Amino acid sequence: MGLQETKIESLPFVTAELNYLAPVSGKPRTYAFDPPPGEPKSTSLPEPHQVPIFDARLIADNFSLDREGFALVRHPTQVKDFYNDEEIRTVYYPAVEAFLRATLKADRVVIFDHTVRRRVEGAADIRDGGPRQPATRVHVDQTAVSGANRVREHLPDEADALLKGRVQVINLWRPIRGPLRDSPLAMADGTTIAPDDLVASDLIYPNRRGETYSVKYNPNHRWFYFPEMMPDEALLLKCYDSATDGRTRFGPHTAFVDPTTPADAAPRESIEVRTLVFHKQ
């Protein structure tokens, strides 16, 4: 049974503030390092909106990457220390690759990076400047341009051949400790996103320029979350899909402040692994 046959409005929900993109002249851009003198860190300013975010636990089996753009999966792990980079690469990476190959029936999976986040009250999200913080704006990690460019960047010798098949960028996101009550992740139902809602935005690094989607507010958007996720659960988030046959290609998501979070809840700790997923078609 798909979401279209489910009475979404009968599900439990919280009302929370999500940061959409405020209107901006020109292409939004954000520096991933200290900007040049006189330049703002970002021209992507937040436009907060109060929206209902539905508890998806009761209908968890109804979601699919190809339709809504996200899915909840059970994924136990043998990793003992998610803050040990060597253990992540030698233990976690191979397990994630094998899991995604099997789950998505992929011909090949290539992990290109990962990010560990640990929320620190009042801290800014700065690369190489302490723990990475939850991302608190509605966004998609890749665009139609940067998704394909990821293949060229990480597999340059094979890119032309690989891009003839179907390519996805899939993020596997999980809590490091649970139950996770602080700064959970909200996912938009991809079927409620209009193409004009997605605004290509530059992410400027010292040696390269990436591109993500910021998202404009649309009252038709429908949001979901899975409360109290445990460390043996993970979310699959679709960040890019080269397929143009009607399935969801981009899945907006964001961390949010859950108004029902207990005051003594442990700060969120999470890890996301970003992968290239290949199908020969």
Side-chain angles (χ1 to χ4, degrees):
M1 182 173 66
L3 292 186
Q4 57 274 19
E5 291 107 30
T6 302
K7 292 192 183 302
I8 301 297
E9 290 72 19
S10 67
L11 294 174
F13 68 93
V14 296
T15 300
E17 184 176 277
L18 299 187
N19 290 310
Y20 282 90
L21 175 70
V24 60
S25 61
K27 186 178 184 181
R29 55 121 189 90
T30 298
Y31 285 95
F33 58 100
D34 288 336
E39 291 275 344
K41 176 86 170 175
S42 178
T43 62
S44 298
L45 300 178
E47 181 181 86
H49 286 269
Q50 294 282 330
V51 302
I53 306 173
F54 292 96
D55 180 344
R57 284 284 183 190
L58 294 175
I59 56 170
D61 293 342
N62 294 1
F63 295 95
S64 81
L65 273 176
D66 279 348
R67 189 175 55 244
E68 289 80 30
F70 64 90
L72 180 73
V73 293
R74 179 167 161 73
H75 185 234
T77 175
Q78 301 298 313
V79 175
K80 298 292 189 288
D81 182 5
F82 279 101
Y83 293 94
N84 182 324
D85 201 60
E86 182 180 358
E87 186 176 5
I88 295 300
R89 294 178 186 279
T90 58
V91 177
Y92 196 48
Y93 275 24
V96 169
E97 286 179 16
F99 177 77
L100 290 180
R101 268 202 321 273
T103 302
L104 304 181
K105 299 178 173 57
D107 294 300
R108 185 178 175 189
V109 173
V110 176
I111 294 174
F112 60 86
D113 71 11
H114 74 275
T115 301
V116 175
R117 299 183 192 268
R118 178 165 56 85
R119 193 178 71 77
V120 177
E121 187 69 39
D125 182 26
I126 302 172
R127 288 167 174 80
D128 304 319
R132 291 295 307 275
Q133 299 300 296
T136 55
R137 63 183 183 87
V138 181
H139 69 284
V140 184
D141 295 27
Q142 308 293 335
T143 67
V145 171
S146 66
N149 282 345
R150 282 290 185 184
V151 183
R152 299 185 182 99
E153 178 184 351
H154 299 292
L155 299 164
D157 296 339
E158 305 171 73
D160 288 345
L162 291 170
L163 287 168
K164 291 176 182 175
R166 182 188 177 199
V167 181
Q168 298 180 85
V169 177
I170 302 296
N171 181 338
L172 187 141
W173 183 100
R174 76 184 317 130
I176 290 173
R177 310 189 198 289
L180 186 143
R181 298 187 174 103
D182 174 68
S183 293
L185 210 60
M187 290 75 60
D189 176 351
T191 67
T192 68
I193 304 295
D196 287 348
D197 298 338
L198 303 177
V199 180
S201 306
D202 284 334
L203 188 55
I204 304 170
Y205 297 91
N207 56 351
R208 70 179 183 90
R209 184 176 294 232
E211 190 177 69
T212 64
Y213 280 130
S214 301
V215 182
K216 294 189 293 187
Y217 175 70
N218 183 330
N220 294 325
H221 293 168
R222 190 161 54 193
W223 288 92
F224 294 95
Y225 79 122
F226 294 95
E228 303 202 350
M229 283 184 64
M230 297 298 289
D232 62 353
E233 296 180 306
L235 288 166
L236 300 181
L237 308 172
K238 186 183 286 192
C239 302
Y240 167 78
D241 195 334
S242 65
T244 56
D245 55 3
R247 59 186 115 195
T248 288
R249 299 184 64 201
F250 305 100
H253 54 276
T254 180
F256 72 99
V257 177
D258 181 348
T260 68
T261 298
D264 61 350
R268 189 240 269 189
E269 297 176 70
S270 61
I271 180 170
E272 60 220 55
V273 173
R274 284 175 284 267
T275 72
L276 292 165
V277 177
F278 297 102
H279 298 265
K280 295 174 183 173
Q281 298 286 43

